[in-house]
Amino acid sequence: MHINDAVFLEDLCPKFRLRQWRKSIHRFTGKSCIYCGKPSESIDHVLPRSQGGLSTTENCVPACLSCNGDKSDENALYWYRKQKFYDPRRAMAIRAWLEGDLRLAIRLLQWANTNFKVKQNFEKDESEYKAA
Ligand SMILES: [Zn+2]
């Protein structure tokens, strides 16, 4: 498929675009929960939608169902600080993510998790993010 075709398809079909976006969010962390490092099964709104949080990349992080459900409508950083698996490097990563600095966020996550596999196509993902 040509890149031009993909753009065309996304314009035609917002659901396709949404699915691609959700996939790219998970890809940023190698499909691991930004809070605890377990496999990410959901997208968590850092500022909950009930409090006006938007579905933007800066406000949406990959999270496992356990963290997503447990955090509920609490402030993410405040909630995270109380967790047993709290790691200051991850807290910094979350903060960087919220500020839109995904490159820094991913670097901090790699530092926090030595099993984190460096993504080879990160440059490509970042350009997708910028285009979104
Ligand atoms: Zn988790």
Side-chain angles (χ1 to χ4, degrees), residues 33-39 63-68 79 85:
C33 174
I34 199 166
Y35 302 114
C36 72
K38 286 186 192 146
C64 68
L65 288 176
S66 163
C67 287
N68 199 342
W79 167 85
F85 49 78

Side-chain angles (χ1 to χ4, degrees), residues 20-81:
Q20 291 299 109
W21 172 73
R22 293 182 79 95
K23 261 195 208 164
S24 72
I25 297 265
H26 287 289
R27 268 208 309 267
F28 282 131
T29 64
K31 290 190 178 130
S32 71
C33 174
I34 199 166
Y35 302 114
C36 72
K38 286 186 192 146
S40 61
E41 299 143 319
S42 61
I43 302 248
D44 180 45
H45 283 73
V46 178
L47 179 67
R49 268 178 293 193
S50 61
Q51 293 172 32
L54 299 174
S55 294
T56 57
T57 303
E58 291 89 341
N59 192 43
C60 292
V61 295
C64 68
L65 288 176
S66 163
C67 287
N68 199 342
D70 190 51
K71 178 187 149 272
S72 186
D73 275 5
E74 264 196 88
N75 174 290
L77 288 166
Y78 180 73
W79 167 85
Y80 182 56
R81 220 167 290 152

